């Protein structure tokens, strides 16, 4: 299995500011993903974080709003830019380890935008 | 588009009663399907996957290609089964989630 940590675990931010969320895994993984879970809703995939290249975004999500970095095989960041109250959500990091095909999820970052 | 649907947003059953959480998927080749569970204040975790054909915590799920379904079943519900259940499928390298069903087991 993979142990995933996210920082911060929660934050309250002002409209128009940006927040960077970090995801750290205890072992090298093949795939890293970022999901969003809005209040009372299911998980929606934002993007696939690609190591050494630009992230691959899902329909409805753009790099200017959600820039993503993945400098190595164990770490990724997601930035929520120019935040509005509609960005209030839980943001989850997810990984697929090399040794199996199972997808693991981090504890999530609960973001509230005022 | 590859879609996963779960028709029930909420499901309540009495303890000891059978439970079935419904999941349907849009047809496309050979799907890889999963059930994830999220207990209160815990992170999302994999419950079972169709390729393993296993039973976890008494739950089973059978892939029915004819009906494009992957319903989750348990013959006797327990209070600790109360949680949010998500059906999901892998599309290429990505896992896409259904809307989820909140299961409440009444003592």
């Amino acid at each position: 299995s993979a142990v995933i940590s996210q920082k911060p675990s929660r934050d309250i931010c002002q409209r128009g500011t940006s927040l960077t969320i970090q995801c750290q895994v205890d072992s090298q993984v093949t795939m890293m993903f970022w999901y969003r879970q809005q209040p009372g809703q299911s998980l929606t995939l934002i993007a696939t974080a690609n190591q050494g290249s630009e992230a691959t975004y899902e329909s409805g999500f753009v790099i200017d709003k959600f820039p993503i970095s993945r400098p190595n095989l164990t770490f990724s960041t997601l930035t929520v830019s120019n935040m509005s109250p509609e960005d209030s959500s839980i943001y989850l990091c997810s990984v697929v380890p090399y040794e199996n095909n199972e997808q693991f999820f981090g504890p999530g970052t609960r973001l509230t935008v005022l | 588009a590859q879609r996963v649907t779960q028709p029930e947003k909420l499901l309540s059953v009495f303890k000891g009663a059978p439970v079935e959480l419904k999941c349907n998927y849009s047809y496309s080749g050979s799907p890889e399907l999963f059930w994830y569970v999220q207990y209160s204040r815990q992170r999302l975790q994999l419950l079972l996957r169709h390729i393993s054909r296993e039973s976890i915590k008494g739950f089973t799920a059978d892939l029915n290609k004819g009906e494009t379904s992957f319903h989750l079943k348990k013959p006797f519900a327990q209070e600790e089964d109360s949680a949010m259940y998500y059906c999901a499928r892998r599309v290429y390298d990505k896992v896409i989630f259904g809307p989820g069903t909140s299961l409440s087991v009444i003592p």
Side-chain angles (χ1 to χ4, degrees):
Chain A
S1 66
V3 178
I4 308 167
S5 59
Q6 286 184 232
K7 287 182 183 178
S9 59
R10 58 178 62 220
D11 207 343
I12 301 172
C13 301
Q14 295 296 322
R15 181 195 296 264
T17 62
S18 297
L19 176 72
T20 295
I21 303 167
Q22 298 180 1
C23 175
Q24 179 73 56
V25 194
D26 68 339
S27 58
Q28 292 185 347
V29 296
T30 58
M31 310 291 290
M32 294 184 81
F33 305 93
W34 286 98
Y35 286 81
R36 179 174 74 182
Q37 187 174 25
Q38 293 178 300
Q41 301 205 19
S42 183
L43 286 80
T44 301
L45 181 63
I46 297 171
T48 304
N50 300 309
Q51 196 254 328
S53 64
E54 196 170 282
T56 306
Y57 289 84
E58 298 299 307
S59 176
F61 297 97
V62 295
I63 188 171
D64 289 346
K65 175 67 177 177
F66 297 102
I68 287 170
S69 78
R70 188 181 172 189
N72 56 51
L73 294 174
T74 63
F75 185 78
S76 177
T77 67
L78 168 75
T79 298
V80 186
S81 303
N82 188 24
M83 288 183 285
S84 67
E86 293 71 37
D87 294 320
S88 297
S89 185
I90 297 173
Y91 292 86
L92 297 115
C93 174
S94 180
V95 306
V96 178
Y98 275 106
E99 58 269 20
N100 65 39
N101 215 16
E102 183 174 336
Q103 189 156 336
F104 294 90
F105 286 82
T109 295
R110 183 181 295 272
L111 170 63
T112 302
V113 184
L114 302 176
Chain B
Q2 308 286 353
R3 294 187 63 184
V4 177
T5 58
Q6 293 177 251
E8 301 137 332
K9 193 164 185 173
L10 297 167
L11 183 64
S12 295
V13 301
F14 285 101
K15 177 182 173 181
V19 60
E20 180 179 67
L21 297 156
K22 292 184 168 56
C23 171
N24 288 91
Y25 61 92
S26 56
Y27 177 76
S28 177
S30 297
E32 189 177 353
L33 290 154
F34 310 86
W35 276 99
Y36 282 83
V37 61
Q38 189 167 30
Y39 301 103
S40 179
R41 300 182 181 281
Q42 294 188 29
R43 70 179 68 187
L44 194 66
Q45 55 187 282
L46 180 67
L47 181 61
L48 52 81
R49 57 173 76 183
H50 90 274
I51 58 174
S52 302
R53 303 182 69 83
E54 57 198 344
S55 173
I56 303 293
K57 299 184 180 182
F59 285 97
T60 58
D62 291 318
L63 178 62
N64 185 324
K65 289 188 178 180
E67 295 181 358
T68 60
S69 68
F70 187 55
H71 301 329
L72 183 68
K73 298 177 184 178
K74 184 169 182 177
F76 308 103
Q78 303 298 314
E79 288 178 67
E80 54 266 30
D81 295 329
S82 295
M84 196 73 188
Y85 291 82
Y86 295 98
C87 184
R89 73 174 291 178
R90 193 189 304 276
V91 179
Y92 302 108
D93 290 326
K94 303 175 291 190
V95 175
I96 308 299
F97 286 82
T101 297
S102 176
L103 174 65
S104 177
V105 180
I106 304 164

